[in-house]
Amino acid sequence: MRCLVTGAAGFVGSHLCSELLEHNGKVWGVDDLSKGRQERIAELMENPDFIFVNNSIGESAALSAIVKEVEVIYHLAAVVGVKQYVEDPARVVEANVCQTAHLLKLAWQYGKKVLFTSTSEVYGKNKELPFVENADRLYGPSDKDRWSYAIAKSAAEHLCLGYSRKGLPVVIVRYFNAYGPRADSSSYGGVVTRFISQALRDEPLTVHGDGCQTRCFTYIDDIVDGTVKAGHVPEAEGRIINLGSKRETKIKDLAEMISEIAGGKKIVYQPYREFYGPYYEDIPRRVPDLSVAEQVLDYYPQVPLETGLKKTLEWYKSEQDFI
Ligand code: UDP
């Protein structure tokens, strides 16, 4: 299978490229390296079946040439990270909507299948758990910049479904809090890698609010497994599919777990406003319904949280440049 992966030097993108190459594929990886890091794909660069193109999605000529060549496009390039949403919401909307629109136009022109990676963020603060794919979306006001990402990814989903209605094969997957080696550990990254990097730097783990907010953390291998299946299985076309894990974890409990496996670290509580500023609103609970993934993709996440956290911690210990 010949594939294009956008966002190839990102956290999920780099793992996905490795997995696609394992299946004897040929992979074109596109990334403008704005947030992507070349170190993530250093090993892949030695593989003759991996072609890296340092380019933005907006640059048409190079991208059209690749789209013509491939059978499936995995569109992962995105501006992601909660701190990013409150610091530069315009960029979040522009990148996530406009790039997707551009890519879909090319896919339509050449009749190529698209797998679009969306997010559990689109459910917003809907209180009806677990989240099923056709659940309502509930967001706060426009002046809470946090919602810029959910709105942008929702708009991009509408674009995808619009092309799907016209006959383009499109699959949408919604990720639930992916974590693992190579994730961004800066203040723009997710909570798991934040806590791990704090623990390894001997800093206190910073729990926001009262720490009772919950997430279902999903190890990268499971995320990649579901994504590859979603790109292959014909029954997935035209559908939205949650990819996550079912174990609901409070952030304060996550901090305890990481503190323990890191040998006992201090945990502190930090007001949201101190970290995110005034334009933030948290999502209290987030849990996926995985029935569609189970039925359509035979997707069953395999990596328990304890195992995934240990593996991730060990990886960051050995890769100090990523901390
Ligand atoms: N969080 C935290 N400490 C941190 C980073 C995040 O307590 O250093 C909290 C954050 O406020 C949220 C949860 O962890 O309630 C998950 O945040 P993340 O940025 O991973 O992504 P989200 O699931 O909100 O998109």
Side-chain angles (χ1 to χ4, degrees):
M1 186 76 84
R2 295 187 309 281
C3 308
L4 160 61
V5 176
T6 71
F11 160 48
V12 180
S14 64
H15 286 277
L16 178 64
C17 289
S18 308
E19 186 62 21
L20 292 169
L21 289 163
E22 286 282 311
H23 288 84
N24 296 323
K26 181 163 179 154
V27 177
W28 280 259
V30 173
D31 202 301
D32 63 4
L33 298 178
S34 56
K35 285 288 279 178
R37 293 177 58 166
Q38 200 133 9
E39 301 96 295
R40 290 196 178 106
I41 49 169
E43 253 176 55
L44 298 180
M45 300 291 256
E46 287 160 27
N47 187 327
D49 289 323
F50 180 70
I51 300 147
F52 179 65
V53 183
N54 180 349
N55 227 329
S56 114
I57 307 288
E59 288 166 40
S60 250
L63 200 65
S64 328
I66 302 168
V67 169
K68 260 190 231 170
E69 289 286 328
V70 300
E71 291 151 89
V72 184
I73 301 164
Y74 290 87
H75 179 37
L76 279 71
V79 173
V80 60
V82 178
K83 212 162 189 308
Q84 191 77 48
Y85 318 155
V86 293
E87 282 182 5
D88 197 350
R91 182 162 171 255
V92 168
V93 176
E94 277 164 15
N96 292 312
V97 179
C98 302
Q99 291 188 355
T100 306
H102 182 65
L103 196 70
L104 283 164
K105 263 191 195 154
L106 284 177
W108 175 249
Q109 189 179 344
Y110 297 109
K112 300 301 168 79
K113 178 171 175 172
V114 176
L115 178 136
F116 174 64
T117 55
S118 188
T119 166
S120 51
E121 183 90 5
V122 298
Y123 295 104
K125 51 184 178 177
N126 184 339
K127 288 201 167 53
E128 278 175 46
L129 296 168
F131 294 146
V132 289
E133 287 83 350
N134 62 358
D136 287 340
R137 296 162 294 185
L138 182 63
Y139 305 141
S142 309
D143 69 356
K144 291 286 180 207
D145 294 332
R146 194 250 158 78
W147 302 113
S148 58
Y149 183 64
I151 292 286
K153 284 286 193 177
S154 279
E157 286 192 2
H158 281 289
L159 281 167
C160 289
L161 291 175
Y163 279 93
S164 167
R165 307 274 187 262
K166 293 201 281 182
L168 190 72
V170 179
V171 186
I172 298 170
V173 290
R174 290 180 179 159
Y175 293 155
F176 282 71
N177 290 80
Y179 74 97
R182 297 193 217 133
D184 182 359
S185 64
S186 75
S187 56
Y188 296 92
V191 64
V192 170
T193 26
R194 285 291 297 144
F195 284 169
I196 285 180
S197 76
Q198 288 170 333
L200 292 178
R201 282 187 274 123
D202 252 331
E203 292 169 6
L205 278 53
T206 51
V207 172
H208 298 156
D210 64 5
C212 289
Q213 66 275 31
T214 71
R215 298 292 186 269
C216 292
F217 297 99
T218 316
Y219 192 64
I220 185 65
D221 291 1
D222 288 320
I223 287 285
V224 167
D225 170 56
T227 308
V228 171
K229 285 175 174 161
H232 272 87
V233 171
E235 291 73 28
E237 289 173 17
R239 305 195 71 140
I240 299 176
I241 306 177
N242 289 336
L243 292 180
S245 78
K246 288 184 184 171
R247 172 153 163 200
E248 187 179 12
T249 305
K250 287 185 181 159
I251 299 303
K252 63 180 185 182
D253 295 338
L254 176 78
E256 293 285 354
M257 289 171 79
I258 293 177
S259 161
E260 198 184 312
I261 59 170
K265 302 288 169 184
K266 195 172 169 202
I267 296 171
V268 295
Y269 287 77
Q270 182 181 34
Y272 286 115
R273 186 173 268 264
E274 210 175 88
F275 186 70
Y276 298 106
Y279 305 116
Y280 176 78
E281 192 180 1
D282 203 1
I283 291 170
R285 291 177 68 195
R286 184 188 277 162
V287 179
D289 181 300
L290 295 177
S291 317
V292 176
E294 289 166 5
Q295 284 155 25
V296 176
L297 305 179
D298 193 27
Y299 166 85
Y300 294 89
Q302 300 293 314
V303 184
L305 186 57
E306 289 79 2
T307 313
L309 291 179
K310 280 183 193 147
K311 282 180 158 189
T312 308
L313 183 90
E314 285 312 312
W315 187 86
Y316 280 94
K317 263 189 197 166
S318 65
E319 297 285 341
Q320 295 287 326
D321 287 355
F322 275 83
I323 295 169

